[in-house]
Amino acid sequence: MDPVRSANQVACLRFLADSDEAQTVGVISAETGLSRPTVHAVLDDLLEAGLVVSTDPATVGPGRPARAFQFARETGLVAGVDLGPRGARAVICDLSGRRVGYTELQRDRRAGVSLIQRAIDAAAEQGAVDAGRLRAVGLALPGVIEANGHLRASLALPELVGVPIVETVSQDLGLPVAIDNDIKLAALAEQRGGAGRGYSDVVYLQIGHRLSVSIVLNGVIRQGRHRLAGELGAQRGMRWTRNAQRGQLIWTSHPSGEAVLSAAAAGDAAAQAEIADFCAQIAGRIATVLLVVDPEVVVVRGWLAQDSDALLRPLEAAVEKELLFPERPPFVASALGREAVVLGAVGTAFDQFSSDIYGIHGYPSPWSRITHDVERTST
């Protein structure tokens, strides 16, 4: 298609997508800087594509009624699924990126890949939307994802290792499927619309049952030649902490990381000492990553958003002791919490399949709306 024509379509559709009300040709022309004949031609294309609808004419002053046009947000849908060892989260967004369905399902032993379809159906049912209008799906999995979409290695989902996930899910759903590692997609979501928004280079550190690192450089997930970037656990004998068992973090002052952090935030001396010792143990690894990447910001997803300072302050202090130079990135709490992964999944589906989703070339993914008003929690 003519690039100028495509650009005009994008300009008009973006304006309508940001508008809560239907807009006339005159308003669209004034706001986009396009001539009225051009806007008319563009709207004809968008009407034919089903991306806009024409409202009933309304009289605007003397003369004939003026037609108004509105973005047909729900004419198409995009889903994101976060499949993990304990279950699945699924979100469905309309073409504007607005959430229209969401669910969380517990996993049973027989679930496997079938849980993806079940989660999408449950999210569609929750939002009372037609799953038949789905145009693409994004999928997040824990482990090393090969370029062909196969799961190369995963401690969390060993039964799916070697399975052609993309081909299987795409065939089951009859839709294009984008796939990537869960932590990498969480980092992307934070960079595009979360705590890392406005920064090009972001290091994302997730501290939960285990520790994980992902890197976004120049606004793109850093994969590496073998898609192993950030996979620090792949180093033989690597242990984040002395009490880590097969990557799982074990706590002594309280039964879980959430409980330790909550107690530390409340002033519990034993919990504060354990958090400080934990930060001191992981600081060397974090400092190494920072010196290799030199990011603009470090986004940390801990256990409880409301108690994040009890983790961020000692972590920054411990990393500072490992560095010779005073220049260092700020450490900030995740803005997307536990939803970062599933939002990264749906966002990357928009990124990869934009032309298929919208039917026009160059329409940007609606990250700002995808990441708007999320529940800021962890775990």
Side-chain angles (χ1 to χ4, degrees):
M1 179 181 286
D2 177 9
V4 174
R5 185 176 178 182
S6 295
N8 292 341
Q9 291 176 346
V10 169
C12 290
L13 194 58
R14 289 190 69 177
F15 172 68
L16 291 175
D18 292 335
S19 302
D20 293 327
E21 299 178 352
Q23 302 292 340
T24 65
V25 170
V27 172
I28 299 171
S29 174
E31 293 295 327
T32 61
L34 301 175
S35 68
R36 292 174 68 97
T38 296
V39 171
H40 274 295
V42 167
L43 291 173
D44 286 341
D45 290 339
L46 298 179
L47 282 166
E48 184 178 355
L51 292 172
V52 301
V53 292
S54 175
T55 65
D56 293 333
T59 301
V60 183
R64 64 182 181 180
R67 281 201 306 167
F69 299 85
Q70 197 163 21
F71 185 21
R73 303 173 187 275
E74 294 191 9
T75 193
L77 304 170
V78 179
V81 180
D82 170 17
L83 180 65
R86 290 176 294 279
R89 293 188 176 101
V91 64
I92 297 178
C93 296
D94 64 20
L95 295 184
S96 71
R98 181 183 58 185
R99 179 183 306 195
V100 295
Y102 181 84
T103 196
E104 298 182 18
L105 297 181
Q106 296 297 312
R107 187 171 185 268
D108 58 56
R109 293 181 180 179
R110 300 169 298 169
V113 175
S114 66
L115 188 58
I116 297 168
Q117 173 80 69
R118 285 168 48 196
I120 292 173
D121 290 342
E125 182 178 359
Q126 183 274 334
V129 296
D130 179 10
R133 288 188 276 118
L134 282 168
R135 300 187 176 184
V137 172
L139 178 60
L141 292 178
V144 179
I145 310 293
E146 296 182 329
N148 62 6
H150 290 206
L151 184 61
R152 176 178 175 182
S154 176
L155 292 175
L157 296 175
E159 69 276 14
L160 296 184
V161 172
V163 174
I165 302 292
V166 167
E167 293 93 328
T168 301
V169 177
S170 181
Q171 185 174 7
D172 289 345
L173 300 177
L175 296 167
V177 175
I179 188 172
D180 211 329
N181 169 269
D182 54 352
I183 306 303
K184 291 178 179 179
L185 290 177
L188 182 66
E190 291 285 357
Q191 187 271 332
R192 296 291 179 86
R197 187 174 185 178
Y199 298 99
S200 295
D201 300 339
V202 176
V203 165
Y204 178 81
L205 172 65
Q206 178 170 297
I207 304 174
H209 297 288
R210 62 178 69 242
L211 279 85
S212 303
V213 173
S214 185
I215 301 163
V216 175
L217 292 179
N218 295 320
V220 178
I221 298 171
R222 177 58 186 168
Q223 299 284 6
R225 173 65 179 83
H226 303 96
R227 301 181 72 85
L228 293 174
E231 295 286 347
L232 301 188
Q235 181 180 344
R236 292 189 184 278
M238 205 288 275
R239 298 177 69 186
W240 281 98
T241 64
R242 292 183 297 271
N243 59 347
Q245 298 179 7
R246 288 183 58 82
Q248 297 286 320
L249 300 176
I250 308 299
W251 303 90
T252 57
S253 65
H254 294 274
S256 67
E258 296 96 321
V260 174
L261 187 63
S262 181
D268 184 304
Q272 289 176 342
E274 186 167 22
I275 289 291
D277 181 58
F278 167 76
C279 291
Q281 290 184 63
I282 70 173
R285 296 280 184 181
I286 302 302
T288 299
V289 173
L290 299 189
L291 290 174
V292 170
V293 178
D294 193 18
E296 296 170 279
V297 66
V298 178
V299 177
V300 181
R301 176 189 166 194
W303 302 278
L304 301 168
Q306 62 270 27
D307 298 327
S308 60
D309 283 350
L311 173 64
L312 291 180
R313 287 196 301 269
L315 182 58
E316 277 193 292
V319 172
E320 183 176 356
K321 292 179 180 178
E322 300 285 333
L323 300 173
L324 292 176
F325 297 102
E327 296 82 9
R328 62 188 58 85
F331 284 59
V332 300
S334 161
L336 305 180
R338 65 177 185 171
E339 294 186 8
V341 175
V342 73
L343 296 178
V346 72
T348 203
F350 274 104
D351 281 352
Q352 289 193 30
F353 305 120
S354 174
S355 296
D356 294 328
I357 291 169
Y358 295 103
I360 61 176
H361 180 70
Y363 191 82
S365 301
W367 278 101
S368 61
R369 193 176 289 270
I370 290 171
T371 55
H372 183 65
D373 288 339
V374 300
E375 181 182 359
R376 191 173 177 270
T377 57
S378 291
T379 70

